[in-house]
């Protein structure tokens, strides 16, 4: 399976590889931002803790959706 994924990535054009890397980067950005909002207490956001956890959780779910879309588009 991993060998098939690597072959699929190598067959992509330069533009498609760039977009793949960009997709992975934004997945990581949303994931880290969600975790920062949830657990970094000194982050200057004036929100109640339950709203911070809800917003951080929403960002983490969104990053998961982006990751699934990235994986599904990579199989083409």
């Amino acid at each position: 399976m991993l060998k098939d994924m690597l072959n699929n990535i190598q067959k992509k054009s330069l533009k498609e590889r760039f977009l793949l890397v960009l997709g992975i980067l934004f997945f990581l950005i949303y994931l880290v931002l969600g975790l920062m909002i949830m657990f970094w207490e000194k982050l200057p956001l004036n929100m109640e803790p339950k709203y911070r956890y809800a917003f951080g959780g929403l960002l983490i779910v969104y990053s998961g959706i982006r990751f699934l879309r990235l994986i599904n588009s990579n199989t083409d």
Side-chain angles (χ1 to χ4, degrees):
M1 181 174 154
L2 184 59
K3 187 176 180 181
D4 293 335
M5 286 178 63
L6 288 174
N7 284 336
N8 192 16
I9 290 172
Q10 289 175 348
K11 290 179 187 176
K12 291 184 178 289
S13 69
L14 185 61
K15 178 183 171 185
E16 290 172 332
R17 280 189 239 163
F18 174 73
L19 291 175
L20 178 67
V21 170
L22 199 62
I24 293 170
L25 177 70
F26 273 94
F27 157 70
L28 291 173
I29 287 172
Y30 282 117
L31 181 67
V32 169
L33 184 62
L35 291 172
M36 282 175 51
I37 288 174
M38 288 175 73
F39 298 115
W40 192 16
E41 295 296 325
K42 294 188 179 194
L43 190 69
L45 285 175
N46 293 331
M47 297 173 104
E48 292 182 32
K50 64 181 177 182
Y51 295 123
R52 288 174 72 115
Y53 290 128
F55 185 52
L58 185 68
L59 285 173
I60 291 171
V61 167
Y62 181 67
S63 71
I65 291 170
R66 286 187 64 97
F67 183 71
L68 290 175
R69 287 181 59 201
L70 183 68
I71 294 299
N72 287 337
S73 72
N74 194 22
T75 58
D76 292 342

